DNA sequence: CTCATTCATAACTGCGTGGTTATGAATGAG
DNA sequence: CTCATTCATAACCACGCAGTTATGAATGAG
């Protein structure tokens, strides 16, 4: 019998969704590499407008992947790479069940009768 | 100086995109747990129409996360959980640079002058 | 006080995409 | 041979979303 399916947590959904976009991943990468950066600084490197950057950062923040630190008229953003855990957990679980299945007996039996 | 940004491989893009959708992840999960399944079988469990399932499987296949094995009028799909590697690689790299940054001296200096 | 800078939000646009139904090709069953 | 099943594809629709420009609030500089 197959194990229960995982609850499909909304937290995981948000993380996957946040990282689905390349521009968002690029922003996250820069924050991981260069530490805290203001929106203006991030906008310089990215090839998109400042409002686009702001909205991407908002999505990342909703996913918990980024934190904002307002300082005067500037706002510094920093990455929270530790919040990538849901992603790791999911892949680990997928690989685990998949690998278990590869060695399972009934899988062999299932293959035998096409 | 910051390390070079990764090349943003299209392969990684496809994997992230494929897993961005919840229905797609659910299909992949079932294939990991239950092994090879036909489209009809997959359609039963999912809450969506058969064409929708077929197209999701096509996206997963483009990302290399799934393989098709035609058998008569049926087509069996199986997961390739090992193809989740690009995802792991990326998260590992992000965490690595992020963690390195947390311990870097100039990060501390940067924080000192807001 | 005045002006420039920084950022977020609103309003809009175009496109990608996830869903549907309809259809047809391929194939096994009877 | 005929009919049912399985699947993929086409055509269509609605919505979400990534991008833009415009705008305004907040704040530091002079």
């Amino acid at each position: 019998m197959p194990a229960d399916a995982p609850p499909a947590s909304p937290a995981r959904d948000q993380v996957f969704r946040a990282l689905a976009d390349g521009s968002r991943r690029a922003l996250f990468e820069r924050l991981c590499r260069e530490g805290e950066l203001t929106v203006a600084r991030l906008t310089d490197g990215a090839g998109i407008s400042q409002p686009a950057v702001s909205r991407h950062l908002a999505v990342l923040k909703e996913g918990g992947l980024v934190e904002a630190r307002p300082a005067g008229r500037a706002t510094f953003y920093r990455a929270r790479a530790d919040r990538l855990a849901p992603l790791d957990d999911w892949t680990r679980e997928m690989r685990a069940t998949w690998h278990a299945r590869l060695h399972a007996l009934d899988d062999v039996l299932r293959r035998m009768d096409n």
Side-chain angles (χ1 to χ4, degrees), chain A:
Chain A
M1 78 254 173
D4 284 1
S9 80
R12 175 169 41 209
D13 262 36
Q14 277 186 322
V15 172
F16 270 105
R17 211 194 78 68
L19 297 179
D21 184 74
S23 304
R24 234 130 50 200
R25 283 201 306 277
L27 289 173
F28 184 76
E29 285 182 20
R30 284 193 61 195
L31 290 173
C32 281
R33 296 178 187 288
E34 309 177 26
E36 276 194 343
L37 291 175
T38 67
V39 177
R41 202 74 77 88
L42 284 168
T43 301
D44 287 343
I48 55 183
S49 66
Q50 173 264 314
V53 171
S54 280
R55 284 193 30 189
H56 280 311
L57 289 171
V59 173
L60 288 169
K61 197 166 79 172
E62 278 178 31
L65 294 169
V66 138
E67 283 180 3
R69 181 175 65 88
R73 61 182 171 182
T75 301
F76 287 84
Y77 281 83
R78 60 178 174 279
R80 286 294 304 265
D82 55 323
R83 299 295 183 76
L84 293 172
L87 220 157
D88 272 356
D89 294 343
W90 186 82
T91 62
R92 196 173 357 258
E93 177 161 351
M94 288 307 104
R95 241 192 295 262
T97 63
W98 178 71
H99 208 254
R101 249 232 150 284
L102 283 186
H103 296 349
L105 176 60
D106 57 349
D107 186 62
V108 177
L109 295 178
R110 182 190 296 249
R111 289 171 190 272
M112 289 180 61
D113 56 355
N114 289 354

